[in-house]
Amino acid sequence: MDLDSLIKILHDESLSCVILKKDGGIVKCYRRGIIDLFELLKNSPQTLDSAIIADKVVGRGAAALMALGGVAKLHTDVVSRPALELLQQSGIATSYDVVTDNIINRTGDDICPVEKLTSQVKTAQEALPLIEGFVANMAANNKNK
């Protein structure tokens, strides 16, 4: 399977992300944001190692997770400039349809919270504890609802 096939699956099935693992297996992600990538990195890091990914939106947080996971190649519909810099710094071959200054949050009135949270970090490794805190906080808030 090639990258064009992954992109077709991404859009035909309305996924947030589709991953071609190095063993040829495919992982489909349905949730918005970074949660699927975060959980894969934590619970199944071999999934990302040398993987090829087609994604809809990649901000700095997702880029950091992909870099930490050892992703080989990425195509995204939209990428932020800070994410693109991090992807390039990490040696991930990246193609995209649109590059933007920042990823916007779901309500469209501010910068994505993870993009904002990781804006000052220089490396993917520095971003990880910030992302872990964000995910933990999100989980705690969901439990209280």
Side-chain angles (χ1 to χ4, degrees), residues 15-111:
L15 302 171
S16 60
C17 173
V18 62
I19 301 165
L20 177 61
K21 301 187 319 183
K22 67 181 172 186
D23 68 6
I26 292 182
V27 175
K28 297 175 182 179
C29 302
Y30 298 88
R31 296 178 286 181
R32 293 177 64 175
I34 53 131
I35 194 69
D36 286 325
L37 285 172
F38 177 78
E39 288 180 357
L40 285 169
L41 181 65
K42 286 297 181 185
N43 303 323
S44 181
Q46 70 280 5
T47 300
L48 298 176
D49 181 38
S50 303
I52 299 172
I53 296 182
D55 202 320
K56 287 191 176 165
V57 178
V58 174
R60 195 163 172 87
L65 295 171
M66 289 179 195
L68 291 168
V71 168
K73 190 174 192 178
L74 165 71
H75 175 81
T76 182
D77 295 346
V78 179
V79 65
S80 70
R81 288 186 203 292
L84 189 56
E85 289 171 13
L86 187 57
L87 292 162
Q88 290 170 338
Q89 170 188 321
S90 302
I92 298 173
T94 305
S95 60
Y96 53 86
D97 296 328
V98 175
V99 65
T100 185
D101 289 335
N102 292 291
I103 302 303
I104 302 302
N105 67 11
R106 293 177 190 174
T107 55
D109 59 1
D110 199 2
I111 295 171

